[in-house]
């Protein structure tokens, strides 16, 4: 029996685990980093917590006789992906990176692409005074030096420091266009800041910004390391796993 480790936490990771669940010749283990207090759990065996960097992950792969790894972490989980690449190279365990496609700008979108959160912060004063932040609970420190008002949304309470004038909304997607329009109108939002996470669960905020004519500042996702096989859907990742049997 082959053993597959899915580095998960995303909808694609859960879909992949569900697709492969029950195969007689495959045992699937999904690993969650533990950064969300009450994560959505995939089917099958689940482990929680980090590995201790590339060396720790490599040791875990050897100890548990893992045959294949799929990195289906968040597109901005740069360190986890780097650890997976290094551990795969060090152990010879084949690795696939599963990344959902990024968002595509439409003709009616007013998007401003930036490389980092810090670059997003520098751009904000010229775009609006009331900012809707959807960049994750660990990102607010980048905006603390700004004399602006922030609506910050995250699944769990954000990590300090926070900007001086911040209202926190704890919520988990998927979101609706109607709900996002109501939220933005209620708080008189003038600009949206987000990361290019991709996927359908949170696209409603982009549609709402388009309908309201608001500018959107989007942080580009880090590139996937070169030389690593890449899939953009759970179906494609499952096909790769099945092909390794040959």
């Amino acid at each position: 029996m082959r053993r597959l480790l899915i580095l998960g936490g995303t909808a694609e990771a859960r879909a992949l685990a569900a697709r492969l669940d029950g195969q007689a010749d495959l045992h699937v283990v999904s690993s969650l980093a533990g950064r969300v207090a009450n994560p959505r759990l995939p089917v099958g065996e689940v482990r929680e917590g980090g590995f201790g960097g590339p060396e720790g992950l490599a040791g875990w792969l050897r100890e548990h006789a893992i045959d294949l790894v799929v990195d289906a972490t968040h597109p901005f989980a740069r360190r986890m992906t780097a650890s997976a690449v290094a551990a795969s190279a060090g152990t010879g365990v084949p690795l696939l990176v599963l990344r959902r496609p990024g968002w595509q700008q439409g003709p009616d979108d007013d998007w401003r692409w930036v490389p980092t959160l810090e670059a997003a912060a520098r751009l904000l004063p010229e775009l609006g005074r009331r900012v809707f932040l959807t960049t994750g609970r660990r990102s607010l420190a980048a905006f603390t030096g700004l004399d602006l008002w922030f609506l910050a949304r995250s699944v769990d309470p954000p990590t300090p420091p926070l900007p001086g004038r911040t209202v926190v909304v704890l919520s988990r997607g998927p979101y609706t266009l109607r709900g996002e329009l109501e939220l933005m109108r209620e708080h008189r939002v003038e600009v949206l800041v987000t990361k290019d996470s991709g996927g359908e669960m949170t696209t409603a905020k982009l549609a709402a910004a388009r309908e309201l004519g608001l500018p959107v500042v989007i942080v580009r996702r880090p590139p996937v390391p070169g030389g690593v096989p890449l899939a953009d859907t759970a179906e494609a990742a499952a096909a790769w796993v099945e092909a390794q049997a040959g």
Side-chain angles (χ1 to χ4, degrees), residues 72-234:
T73 54
H74 192 275
F76 282 82
R78 183 197 300 263
R79 284 189 292 181
M80 189 66 251
T81 296
S83 290
V85 171
S88 171
T91 60
V93 176
L95 168 69
L96 174 78
V97 175
L98 170 56
R99 287 289 182 275
R100 57 182 176 251
W103 290 315
Q104 298 297 313
Q105 183 172 354
D108 297 324
D109 290 314
D110 181 9
W111 291 4
R112 320 294 175 93
W113 292 91
V114 293
T116 64
L117 289 167
E118 291 73 20
R122 290 193 294 269
L123 193 59
L124 284 180
E126 66 185 63
L127 297 177
R129 306 294 300 176
R130 301 180 65 84
V131 183
F132 185 17
L133 282 180
T134 63
T135 51
R137 69 185 183 93
R138 298 173 183 266
S139 68
L140 274 67
F143 303 93
T144 54
L146 298 175
D147 183 23
L148 304 175
W149 181 92
F150 292 92
L151 174 66
R153 183 170 67 192
S154 58
V155 176
D156 293 321
T159 303
L162 277 62
R165 292 184 291 160
T166 301
V167 172
V168 175
V169 174
L170 301 182
S171 179
R172 188 198 300 266
Y175 301 102
T176 66
L177 175 59
R178 178 179 178 179
E180 297 292 63
L181 285 170
E182 290 177 352
L183 182 67
M184 292 186 190
R185 285 171 174 150
E186 176 188 353
H187 293 281
R188 307 191 310 280
V189 169
E190 297 175 357
V191 56
L192 168 67
V193 183
T194 190
K195 294 178 177 179
D196 182 21
S197 300
E200 297 297 323
M201 288 184 64
T202 60
T203 55
K205 62 189 174 188
L206 301 173
R210 181 189 314 122
E211 185 166 324
L212 295 172
L214 303 182
V216 182
V217 180
I218 303 185
V219 180
R220 295 186 186 277
R221 58 173 61 179
V224 176
V228 180
L230 181 65
D232 60 6
T233 65

